Amino acid sequence: MSEHEHHNCSSGHPENLQLRPKRLGWDEYFMSVAHLISQRATCKRAHIGAVIVRDNNILATGYNGAPSGLPHCDDDNCLIYTSTHPDGTIEQNCMNTIHAEMNAIIQAAKHGVSIKDADIYVTASPCINCLKALINVGIKQIYYDKPYKIENISDMLHKTGVKLIQVHVENIRIINDEK
């Protein structure tokens, strides 16, 4: 090929000229990764995934489930407790489960990765306890797909300046070009 000839990926193959889905933006990409990670969750009640990112690089991931080496939640091991918020709202949680956001923070700490000034992508907005931890480690923006009791965290978000941004992804497909 001479220095002035240019070929694109689809030249000579009309079947490759079909319309391709648009390339994912960074937000859709990282939220899709969070959804993929959520498939590792061991909690029966919810599958949540989290990805901590800085400068478009993944620093740590987490999903909800039992601590390493302990039994996963099942019918005999799911220990639900009820707590009451100051406003009277009742919430149920599992004694055996660590939330996805906490597991991502723990993974970063375990491997000596600084997550100060990073962002996090979570498949659901954080509970108040996870939000407090995210604030303390220096997370500045929280991207979430599905809302979870946002009314419980809105005041704390406002006071700290941490941004909560919804990124909803649908129908993420893996494309296989092999025929």
Side-chain angles (χ1 to χ4, degrees):
M1 178 184 321
S2 78
E3 65 182 80
H4 299 293
E5 286 183 60
H6 296 284
H7 291 280
N8 62 32
C9 294
S10 62
S11 62
H13 301 283
E15 67 275 8
N16 290 337
L17 294 175
Q18 61 190 331
L19 292 177
R20 307 272 298 166
K22 76 174 184 80
R23 184 177 184 201
L24 291 177
W26 286 114
D27 291 338
E28 293 92 355
Y29 169 70
F30 291 124
M31 188 59 72
S32 297
V33 171
H35 277 282
L36 181 63
I37 290 163
S38 76
Q39 293 179 26
R40 290 276 307 151
T42 60
C43 177
K44 289 177 22 172
R45 297 175 45 209
H47 286 115
I48 307 297
V51 181
I52 298 176
V53 174
R54 187 175 45 242
D55 299 328
N56 293 332
N57 289 289
I58 295 173
L59 303 176
T61 64
Y63 51 87
N64 58 324
S68 296
L70 295 178
H72 300 305
C73 286
D74 57 23
D75 292 330
D76 299 327
N77 197 39
C78 193
L79 302 175
I80 301 298
Y81 69 93
T82 302
S83 59
T84 306
H85 291 261
D87 68 359
T89 311
I90 295 175
E91 184 172 349
Q92 290 187 328
N93 287 290
C94 178
M95 292 288 293
N96 293 331
T97 298
I98 299 174
H99 289 187
E101 301 93 324
M102 295 295 226
N103 270 327
I105 292 168
I106 292 164
Q107 184 186 69
K110 183 177 179 178
H111 297 288
V113 176
S114 171
I115 56 175
K116 184 175 188 269
D117 298 326
D119 299 331
I120 190 167
Y121 291 78
V122 191
T123 56
S125 56
C127 71
I128 195 158
N129 290 317
C130 287
L131 176 60
K132 290 186 276 187
L134 293 169
I135 290 166
N136 272 4
V137 299
I139 297 292
K140 299 300 181 193
Q141 296 187 121
I142 301 167
Y143 296 88
Y144 72 99
D145 188 347
K146 295 181 174 90
Y148 174 77
K149 300 184 180 182
I150 291 177
E151 64 279 2
N152 293 344
I153 62 173
S154 59
D155 187 51
M156 194 173 294
L157 289 167
H158 178 73
K159 288 177 180 174
T160 61
V162 172
K163 293 183 179 142
L164 185 66
I165 303 160
Q166 187 170 29
V167 174
H168 184 63
V169 294
E170 286 186 36
N171 303 325
I172 298 300
R173 295 183 349 209
I174 297 173
I175 299 168
N176 184 351
D177 284 338
E178 295 177 23
K179 300 210 186 237

